[in-house]
Amino acid sequence: MEQVLTCCPSRIRPERLSIMIDSFHRTKKGDTRLVVYVDEADPRIEEYKKLNHQQYIEYGPFRFQAGVVNYFSTEKYPGREFYQEIHDDHVFITDGWDVEMMRTINDHGCWGVCGANDTINLYFADPARNPGAAMISGNIIQTLGYWFLPCLRAFRIDEAFRELLNPFGLIHHRQDIVIDHVCWHDGRRGFGARAPLDETSKWQYL
């Protein structure tokens, strides 16, 4: 059984997913596995099925982002020591990010969350900002029975997650670990969009 399970929902972005997977394998150093969830009715399902990464992709009925992560971490792959949630528009930059994020959590008592520098959440000026490309210790999920609040779908799940754990001092940030979130909604925060406004961004943010 792998030590870390990285969970990724993907929607209408097979080409972005391929870039993310390549960067994941180029930079991970620990016993870390990636699983991707794709809606079996996705408009670009045939393109997904042509990717050279089928061993990482699971197809199933539509689930929102929170539902995918909770499904992987509590139903399909329970019992891992650590879990991570990312998107198909992330790009892993820092070598050994997984080992360093695990070490950060373990150095704080083996309970907690480690957030990376996703180049977006830097716009928060205080330590309470959302943890980017977050890794969480499995004991928190096993205690709560979920990762993201089951009543939520996608939007604002990070904020709810932060508000739940921050009062206990369980969120830690590593700005030296870069997992770049190359997304359209950068532009809404004054930084200039680094990705086009695609169908997934329209569906989720507009």
Side-chain angles (χ1 to χ4, degrees):
M1 182 185 296
E2 61 282 342
Q3 193 172 17
V4 183
L5 188 74
T6 295
C7 309
C8 175
S10 183
R11 185 177 188 273
I12 326 181
R13 286 178 176 161
E15 69 289 337
R16 300 294 298 276
L17 177 64
S18 183
I19 293 170
M20 184 277 288
I21 292 176
D22 288 341
S23 73
F24 171 87
H25 283 285
R26 188 170 58 249
T27 56
K28 80 178 187 74
K29 301 299 180 185
D31 183 14
T32 304
R33 177 186 175 189
L34 172 68
V35 287
V36 178
Y37 192 91
V38 175
D39 174 12
E40 58 195 3
D42 190 280
R44 300 180 67 183
I45 188 68
E46 295 306 319
E47 294 174 70
Y48 276 106
K49 290 182 177 180
K50 292 178 182 178
L51 294 177
N52 294 323
H53 302 296
Q54 294 305 306
Q55 65 269 39
Y56 312 111
I57 303 175
E58 299 190 15
Y59 301 94
F62 175 79
R63 299 174 190 265
F64 284 99
Q65 179 182 343
V68 168
V69 176
N70 285 339
Y71 167 69
F72 278 150
S73 60
T74 66
E75 297 181 42
K76 186 70 181 288
Y77 302 105
R80 272 54 177 183
E81 189 174 355
F82 300 94
Y83 294 88
Q84 181 192 32
E85 188 260 345
I86 59 163
H87 300 170
D88 50 18
D89 53 358
H90 275 101
V91 178
F92 293 86
I93 304 297
T94 301
D95 285 339
W97 54 269
D98 51 343
V99 173
E100 286 300 314
M101 293 176 83
M102 284 189 283
R103 180 178 295 124
T104 298
I105 295 173
N106 286 334
D107 286 348
H108 288 85
C110 302
W111 287 75
V113 173
C114 181
N117 176 359
D118 65 2
T119 73
I120 291 178
N121 286 320
L122 285 173
Y123 85 98
F124 287 104
D126 63 85
R129 62 190 178 277
N130 291 345
M135 182 181 291
I136 186 172
S137 56
N139 46 25
I140 293 178
I141 295 175
Q142 291 149 22
T143 299
L144 294 174
Y146 57 83
W147 181 342
F148 291 124
L149 290 171
C151 61
L152 300 180
R153 294 179 171 184
F155 201 50
R156 300 299 184 188
I157 60 174
D158 292 336
E159 284 85 346
F161 175 61
R162 180 192 72 208
E163 292 300 313
L164 176 65
L165 297 182
N166 225 25
F168 301 98
L170 293 175
I171 297 179
H172 313 287
H173 298 278
R174 287 286 303 268
Q175 294 300 99
D176 59 319
I177 299 174
V178 181
I179 303 176
D180 195 6
H181 196 177
V182 185
C183 61
W184 163 80
H185 61 283
D186 248 5
R188 298 197 307 163
R189 293 164 178 163
F191 299 133
R194 296 182 297 133
L197 176 59
D198 59 14
E199 291 305 313
T200 300
S201 294
K202 290 178 183 178
W203 173 75
Q204 187 163 1
Y205 298 108
L206 298 183

